[in-house]
Amino acid sequence: MVNKEVKNLALMALFTALVVIGSRIYVGTHDTFRFHLGNSMCLLAALMLAPTSAGLSAGLGSMIFDILFYPPSLGPIGYLITFITKFVMAYVASLVFYRIKNAVIAGTIGEIAYIILYALKTYLECRLVQLLTVQATMLKLYPKLGASVANAVAAVIVSSVLYQMLKLYKPN
């Protein structure tokens, strides 16, 4: 019989890979609206794993995706920011889920945490790195927030449906 730690590590690797693959499946462009399945896989990890394991899977999978396919504008620090924001999303969602057992509410709260961090990162990058005015920053921020909210709604729906389909196979 395989011990619990080995099962958990295997599931973390699986969800890390699903986040990478889900982030690669998208519609749109990187510069405008980009709808992808990466956040759905982050939230699915949150529903299937303990908080730290879910956060690590989401953060590592998203960071690996950026390294392989979509280098952030901030270079190496961007990879760390991606790791942190996606870790927080899945960690928070998993914490909420293990307390209230409601996938929609847990996913929504996790996505709200992510959107706040993503908006803060975008704002600071525009103001401090690109040296944009507040008005120019807002012109860049609003469309990104719209895309993030649309992705969040889709991620909550997709992850909740997938969880309902998979929960019978959830390991102890």
Side-chain angles (χ1 to χ4, degrees), residues 31 70 118 121-122 125 140-149:
D31 296 330
Y70 186 54
Y118 180 71
K121 173 250 177 203
T122 301
E125 179 182 355
K140 286 187 87 168
L141 184 59
Y142 290 145
K144 288 184 177 215
L145 287 177
S148 291
V149 169

Side-chain angles (χ1 to χ4, degrees), residues 51-72:
T52 301
S53 297
L56 287 171
S57 294
L60 287 172
S62 297
M63 186 175 73
I64 290 167
F65 170 78
D66 279 358
I67 290 169
L68 293 175
F69 302 109
Y70 186 54

Side-chain angles (χ1 to χ4, degrees), residues 93-164:
S94 185
L95 275 179
V96 172
F97 183 70
Y98 280 95
R99 283 182 173 71
I100 65 170
K101 301 296 184 198
N102 185 308
V104 173
I105 293 172
T108 300
I109 292 171
E111 283 287 352
I112 289 170
Y114 169 73
I115 290 170
I116 290 168
L117 291 174
Y118 180 71
L120 178 63
K121 173 250 177 203
T122 301
Y123 182 84
L124 292 174
E125 179 182 355
C126 288
R127 295 288 289 141
L128 301 176
V129 177
Q130 298 174 8
L131 303 175
L132 299 178
T133 65
V134 172
Q135 294 82 5
T137 297
M138 291 300 127
L139 287 174
K140 286 187 87 168
L141 184 59
Y142 290 145
K144 288 184 177 215
L145 287 177
S148 291
V149 169
N151 262 317
V153 170
V156 169
I157 292 168
V158 169
S159 63
S160 297
V161 169
L162 288 175
Y163 175 73
Q164 292 302 317

Side-chain angles (χ1 to χ4, degrees), residues 18-41 65-66 68-71 147 151 154:
L18 287 173
V19 170
V20 174
I21 293 165
S23 298
R24 189 72 175 146
I25 300 170
Y26 66 91
V27 176
T29 67
H30 291 299
D31 296 330
T32 58
F33 179 78
R34 183 175 178 273
F35 171 76
H36 60 87
L37 295 177
N39 286 5
S40 299
M41 297 301 107
F65 170 78
D66 279 358
L68 293 175
F69 302 109
Y70 186 54
N151 262 317

Side-chain angles (χ1 to χ4, degrees), residues 2-9 172:
V2 179
N3 71 26
K4 192 173 183 176
E5 290 81 17
V6 173
K7 278 185 183 178
N8 187 56
L9 190 58
N172 296 329

